[in-house]
Amino acid sequence: MASEFIALDKSAQDLLFREARTANSFTGEPVTEEQIQALYDLVKWAPTSFNQQPLRVTLVRSDEARARLVAQMWDNNQAKTQAAPLVAILAADHRFTDELPSQFPVFPQAKDVFFSDDAVRAESARLNATLQIAYFIIGVRAIGLAAGPMTGFNADAVSKEFLPEHQEALTVVNIGVPDAAAWYDRLPRLGYEKVFTTV
């Protein structure tokens, strides 16, 4: 049985993976700054190339900012974003290299050797921020909340509205305690043999 090889106990496996799903609605219970700090204490350890850390998170807490964000969401995502206790804009910072010498001190020249080209730097920022976003979603689950990640929004407009010019919005995540209607039925997943190839 596959579960005998998993180090996490079954309740942790279920919390993070098997029973976790995208949440579509939440209770009115607020999400505190302390909870978000605890979340970051876990997810900051995500693996990235050269230990670059391009993920930047904008927490949307004010009513005014919420209204501006909702206007850029698509279709059903508007109502979900309006009602969520907390919304986070997850972005890639194309100037992650500003921090690279201190975060990768074994080779501080990496900033110039590998990332002097704008296109290369942007592609790396997107890829590694996406890895961090995956950890972020699991981290939300790990602190006992639910995540509703969405890419259905006007990313260019959200970037211009909320972020410095060197940051690019990738995902919007609703965060909170799920309510009774939060979950859609679980959709199927591909089987092992469809995904894995041995050569």
Side-chain angles (χ1 to χ4, degrees):
M1 189 172 181
S3 61
E4 69 182 277
F5 299 103
I6 300 175
L8 294 173
D9 65 37
K10 187 176 184 303
S11 62
Q13 295 171 36
D14 290 343
L15 176 69
L16 300 179
F17 301 101
R18 292 198 184 92
E19 292 182 5
R21 284 173 281 172
T22 294
N24 295 286
S25 57
F26 303 88
T27 70
E29 186 175 334
V31 177
T32 68
E33 182 65 23
E34 291 76 17
Q35 286 173 299
I36 297 301
Q37 290 180 11
L39 161 68
Y40 184 64
D41 191 53
L42 293 175
V43 304
K44 67 185 179 184
W45 305 110
T48 56
S49 58
F50 292 95
N51 198 37
Q52 63 179 271
Q53 296 156 58
L55 179 67
R56 300 293 179 267
V57 182
T58 299
L59 300 175
V60 179
R61 290 196 180 275
S62 73
D63 292 340
E64 179 270 335
R66 179 77 60 110
R68 286 161 44 215
L69 178 59
V70 166
Q72 303 304 332
M73 304 302 294
W74 295 347
D75 304 322
N76 293 337
N77 290 341
Q78 289 191 337
K80 291 191 284 189
T81 302
Q82 182 63 51
L86 178 63
V87 185
I89 301 167
L90 276 55
D93 188 347
H94 293 201
R95 284 195 350 207
F96 68 88
T97 48
D98 290 354
E99 306 292 341
L100 201 55
S102 66
Q103 300 307 296
F104 198 66
V106 295
F107 186 33
Q109 305 92 330
K111 171 181 178 178
D112 301 312
V113 172
F114 294 103
F115 300 112
S116 59
D117 181 81
D118 290 347
V120 170
R121 188 169 59 254
E123 181 180 6
S124 188
R126 291 185 199 103
L127 171 62
N128 286 280
T130 300
L131 290 170
Q132 292 182 280
I133 288 168
Y135 261 62
F136 184 96
I137 293 167
I138 294 172
V140 170
R141 298 169 178 176
I143 65 167
L145 299 176
M150 300 168 290
T151 56
F153 62 96
N154 185 331
D156 288 341
V158 168
S159 297
K160 290 175 184 174
E161 185 79 14
F162 290 94
L163 307 176
E165 64 178 11
H166 53 87
Q167 293 182 19
E168 174 187 5
L170 299 179
T171 309
V172 172
V173 182
N174 293 332
I175 303 169
V177 176
D179 67 16
W183 317 118
Y184 297 153
D185 290 340
R186 169 74 84 186
L187 293 173
R189 295 298 190 267
L190 292 173
Y192 179 90
E193 70 285 351
K194 295 263 188 190
V195 176
F196 286 81
T197 301
T198 300
V199 297

